Amino acid sequence: MVELMETKFEIDQKVVYPSQGVGIVKEVFEKKFKDTTIPYYKIYIEASDMIVMVPVEKTEDLGIRQIVSAQEAEEALNLLSDEFEPITSDWKLRYQMNLDLLKKGTIKDIATIVRCLYNRSKVKELPILERKLYDSAKKLLEDEISFALGKTTKEIAETIHVKLEPPGATPKVKHVITMDDDEDDDLMDDISSKSDDDSDDSDSADEMGSDEDFDEEDDSF
């Protein structure tokens, strides 16, 4: 029976789904595949107005976790103002590193992405893919911290901006590691050679992961 099944999250509990956003567990149910019964979470993602079904046993692999405490939220905000290592101009390395952090999905990982790409944007305008990654990470950070601290996303957005660029503070980026054979312009050339639809499909695959990870059946609700 589903009621007796041991699960990590409870119904109506808020959780974070890395690369998707803050969601709420709406249901825990079971699906049968041949002779096997698999427990699933039904999670509603408010930001995209989407319902996803995730196998209970896959939640850890996907990085799905509970909302952080208020203390952890404050620590993530403070991390935005910390000094950090120089930013590489190798967009392939930079993008992949930040994408990996987003998939891991701890709140400090997400804050690190926001800090990195915001400060990189002060050196040079972000390419399309990195801008999308920055916007996704920033939105996820705003949503989770607003829940953790009981404030509006607008208030948190303002706090994040002040942390990233305190009034009167000198820029935190002192220099950039330059790679002669890899520059952001190469990325723009790659993107311009593809249609917008192709780019969107690629982004969706990166964010959502493999179809085997979870089963979506929005048409049944």
Side-chain angles (χ1 to χ4, degrees):
M1 297 292 292
V2 176
E3 293 82 352
L4 301 179
M5 185 175 52
E6 183 177 351
T7 58
K8 184 177 181 180
F9 306 120
E10 300 176 352
I11 294 175
D12 293 333
Q13 181 175 353
K14 292 184 176 66
V15 296
V16 176
Y17 191 148
S19 81
Q20 297 302 315
V22 175
I24 183 169
V25 178
K26 305 299 291 185
E27 184 182 345
V28 183
F29 65 99
E30 292 180 340
K31 292 185 69 174
K32 289 187 177 181
F33 294 93
K34 296 182 179 180
D35 297 329
T36 304
T37 299
I38 301 177
Y40 277 76
Y41 290 116
K42 182 193 293 184
I43 302 174
Y44 174 66
I45 309 295
E46 183 176 1
S48 55
D49 191 24
M50 176 177 66
I51 287 178
V52 296
M53 270 86 72
V54 183
V56 170
E57 64 179 12
K58 290 285 188 179
T59 53
E60 186 172 346
D61 293 339
L62 294 171
I64 298 175
R65 57 176 175 78
Q66 64 183 3
I67 299 288
V68 296
S69 65
Q71 179 180 342
E72 291 173 304
E74 292 287 1
E75 290 174 353
L77 284 172
N78 292 333
L79 185 149
L80 296 173
S81 301
D82 287 350
E83 295 291 338
F84 56 96
E85 295 181 359
I87 303 170
T88 176
S89 64
D90 180 349
W91 70 264
K92 294 176 183 177
L93 177 60
R94 189 173 66 231
Y95 180 76
Q96 189 59 54
M97 288 173 63
N98 283 322
L99 187 61
D100 289 343
L101 286 177
L102 187 65
K103 289 177 180 178
K104 284 174 59 181
T106 72
I107 194 167
K108 288 187 176 181
D109 289 332
I110 297 168
T112 297
I113 297 169
V114 172
R115 181 184 65 185
C116 170
L117 295 183
Y118 177 83
N119 284 284
R120 174 60 186 175
S121 73
K122 308 302 285 186
V123 177
K124 185 175 183 179
E125 183 178 357
L126 294 176
I128 294 173
L129 291 183
E130 283 198 307
R131 183 69 200 182
K132 288 183 177 180
L133 183 60
Y134 171 76
D135 289 342
S136 295
K138 185 170 179 287
K139 174 61 176 171
L140 185 56
L141 192 66
E142 290 171 356
D143 286 349
E144 181 169 10
I145 292 179
S146 70
F147 279 114
L149 298 183
K151 296 183 178 181
T152 66
T153 53
K154 182 178 179 180
E155 290 175 313
I156 299 303
E158 293 172 352
T159 300
I160 287 174
H161 180 73
V162 171
K163 291 289 185 180
L164 288 169
E165 194 167 323
T170 56
K172 293 188 287 297
V173 178
K174 295 182 174 58
H175 62 288
V176 176
I177 299 175
T178 302
M179 309 292 286
D180 294 334
D181 60 346
D182 250 327
E183 296 184 352
D184 290 338
D185 292 338
D186 297 333
L187 177 58
M188 300 306 293
D189 292 339
D190 289 344
I191 293 173
S192 64
S193 66
K194 300 179 181 180
S195 68
D196 290 338
D197 289 340
D198 289 342
S199 296
D200 290 340
D201 289 343
S202 175
D203 292 345
S204 298
D206 284 337
E207 291 179 358
M208 297 298 293
S210 162
D211 288 339
E212 295 176 359
D213 286 339
F214 55 83
D215 179 22
E216 290 189 330
E217 295 180 68
D218 291 357
D219 56 347
S220 62
F221 304 101

